[in-house]
Amino acid sequence: MAENYQFETRCIHGDGGFVEGHPYGAVSVPIFQTATFAHPGIGKSTGYDYSRESNPTRYELESVMSSLEGADDSIACSTGMAAIGICLELFGEGDHILCTEDLYGGTVRMFESIGEKRGLKFSYVDTSDIDLVRKNIRKETKALYIETPSNPTMRITDFAEMRKLADEFGLLILADNTFLSPYFQKPLQLGADIVVHSGTKFLGGHNDVLAGFVCVKGKELSEKLRYTYKTVGCSLSPFDSFLVLRGIKTLSVRLERQQENAKKIALWLKNRPEVTEVYYPGLEDHPGYEVNRKQATGAGSMLSFRVDTVERTRKILESVKLISYAESLGGVESLITYPMLQTHGDVPVEIREHLGITEDFLRMSVGIENAEDLIKDLEQAFQ
């Protein structure tokens, strides 16, 4: 029975039965590179009419994502930002959304430009502080927007406590699950109503495709989001759907290796005299360690660290050889990022500094290379 399949099997087969429907028994999903589908007759349909609305390749990807996240529906979008964008259409003028203060900078940019232009209101608090969240809920608050671990300072938010507040005040919970993916964390099972992903990252896993997902609990939310999706036209292409589906097949084995490498690097960084702070939820001295262990099965492979001087920060970025100085994350290749200039460059300086995203702060996405080779590369860059 499909419900007995373990996560690793569902990464490859979903809930089962896809191959039976593939032309010629193709084991891999065919790429249905077509914009339109012929009707068998008047008022009749094959189930697919136009690829902006639905496509067989994309449908298989969406079905696998629903299986992995435990969602009633999953919607594959052209980018992670497109996924967030259609979620905003659930809200109207004057509605307030209370957000994790340490969010991906692109999310903040969308909220404060496109969202506010539409009359939505946003405020940001440390959602790891339950009392602070409660104090900032207003009568016009409609949703909590949570990212845990947060980007880039790796703060952890307790889903169970957020669900209690959501039930008390009648709020939706939207959660960005990009950093841990459904392999390590399943927010819908923990109390979220909607989960968003940048599928570009761990789900795709190879730094070669842009994608986004909205995973939903409940028919009503699904219908509203599907209507916006069809209308706006931010659907993922058939070829990109194929690439992400191919990436997901190795999600579990990639993430295990990436997490193993990240833990080794985090411990190495903690012992370096040049490093003043390490942010990784898999370390026992991380303030969110116990909460993350309660609600997730792993700490993932994203980590950040602070060094003793700005000069050293810049030297590391310009000296790494095996590790690439680049934006993005989650691929098999290790990347190092300078958040103050890259991911959070549009966030006002005073807010960045309040969050600790300063000139001596670096973020690393650990890949699947040999951990000792990565450490040697960092070591020579530190010299």
Side-chain angles (χ1 to χ4, degrees):
M1 295 292 290
E3 59 266 24
N4 292 328
Y5 292 159
Q6 298 300 308
F7 188 93
E8 295 84 351
T9 303
R10 285 185 282 119
C11 283
I12 299 168
H13 299 285
D15 287 335
F18 285 129
V19 173
E20 297 170 13
H22 290 170
Y24 310 109
V27 173
S28 294
V29 57
I31 304 170
F32 288 89
Q33 192 64 49
T34 181
T36 191
F37 301 83
H39 296 281
I42 297 173
K44 296 180 181 179
S45 171
T46 61
Y48 300 96
D49 301 320
Y50 193 57
S51 279
R52 171 161 49 81
E53 181 178 7
S54 59
N55 176 280
T57 311
R58 190 164 67 240
Y59 170 76
E60 188 161 324
L61 171 62
E62 291 173 336
S63 298
V64 169
M65 275 302 298
S66 290
S67 177
L68 299 183
E69 278 286 9
D72 293 318
D73 189 20
S74 292
I75 303 170
C77 301
S78 52
T79 66
M81 298 314 301
I84 295 170
I86 65 170
C87 290
L88 289 185
E89 296 300 321
L90 294 170
F91 306 100
E93 186 173 358
D95 287 349
H96 171 247
I97 301 173
L98 184 57
C99 311
T100 299
E101 65 177 356
D102 181 29
L103 283 183
Y104 166 56
T107 304
V108 176
R109 182 175 62 240
M110 173 172 280
F111 287 175
E112 297 194 351
S113 57
I114 295 171
E116 290 190 357
K117 190 183 296 182
R118 291 186 50 247
L120 304 181
K121 299 175 182 178
F122 302 87
S123 58
Y124 305 86
V125 298
D126 180 359
T127 50
S128 67
D129 184 334
I130 309 305
D131 292 333
L132 192 58
V133 175
R134 174 183 287 277
K135 288 176 184 175
N136 281 274
I137 294 173
R138 311 172 187 172
K139 63 179 180 180
E140 63 268 28
T141 304
K142 301 298 181 185
L144 302 173
Y145 188 97
I146 297 165
E147 187 174 40
T148 180
S150 67
N151 183 1
T153 63
M154 312 297 161
R155 298 183 197 177
I156 304 299
T157 298
D158 190 323
F159 275 112
E161 294 299 327
M162 292 298 106
R163 186 68 256 171
K164 290 177 185 176
L165 289 176
D167 289 340
E168 181 179 347
F169 292 96
L171 309 177
L172 286 175
I173 295 180
L174 291 80
D176 186 328
N177 198 30
T178 298
F179 268 20
L180 290 187
S181 89
Y183 182 64
F184 286 131
Q185 182 171 260
K186 297 177 179 61
L188 294 177
Q189 295 180 13
L190 296 166
D193 300 289
I194 297 171
V195 171
V196 296
H197 285 275
S198 173
T200 309
K201 311 304 193 292
F202 289 101
L203 295 169
H206 292 79
N207 289 319
D208 59 4
V209 62
L210 296 175
F213 291 95
V214 183
C215 304
V216 191
K217 199 174 3 179
K219 183 179 179 181
E220 183 180 355
L221 279 175
S222 169
E223 288 177 349
K224 288 179 179 178
L225 288 163
R226 282 276 175 195
Y227 183 81
T228 300
Y229 176 75
K230 174 180 71 173
T231 303
V232 173
C234 58
S235 51
L236 190 63
S237 75
F239 183 65
D240 288 346
S241 297
F242 168 82
L243 288 176
V244 178
L245 195 54
R246 184 176 66 168
I248 287 175
K249 290 179 187 292
T250 59
L251 179 67
S252 60
V253 289
R254 284 188 285 107
L255 265 62
E256 284 291 345
R257 176 59 174 268
Q258 286 172 280
Q259 177 175 247
E260 178 187 335
N261 285 351
K263 183 70 175 291
K264 290 178 181 177
I265 291 170
L267 291 171
W268 179 84
L269 287 168
K270 280 184 68 68
N271 290 319
R272 293 293 301 194
E274 308 94 334
V275 176
T276 59
E277 198 161 3
V278 178
Y279 305 79
Y280 180 61
L283 297 176
E284 292 185 10
D285 60 356
H286 186 283
Y289 175 80
E290 290 298 337
V291 172
N292 192 71
R293 194 171 70 161
K294 176 186 72 171
Q295 64 191 21
T297 57
S301 60
M302 296 300 301
L303 59 88
S304 296
F305 59 98
R306 196 179 302 281
V307 293
D308 51 359
T309 67
V310 174
E311 291 73 24
R312 192 181 307 280
T313 306
R314 294 179 178 270
K315 183 180 182 303
I316 291 168
L317 292 170
E318 293 177 351
S319 300
V320 286
K321 298 175 181 177
L322 184 63
I323 301 163
S324 294
Y325 168 32
E327 293 192 44
S328 200
L329 58 101
V332 293
E333 301 90 355
S334 293
L335 307 177
I336 194 164
T337 301
Y338 201 15
M340 64 156 287
L341 286 182
Q342 295 176 293
T343 58
H344 291 68
D346 290 333
V347 177
V349 175
E350 63 274 13
I351 296 176
R352 285 206 311 265
E353 291 184 349
H354 163 72
L355 296 173
I357 306 169
T358 48
E359 293 183 84
D360 56 359
F361 183 90
L362 294 167
R363 190 192 75 182
M364 188 171 175
S365 171
V366 181
I368 66 170
E369 303 95 339
N370 181 279
E372 295 308 313
D373 288 336
L374 294 172
I375 288 171
K376 285 178 185 176
D377 190 32
L378 286 171
E379 189 166 26
Q380 64 82 26
F382 269 72
Q383 307 256 323

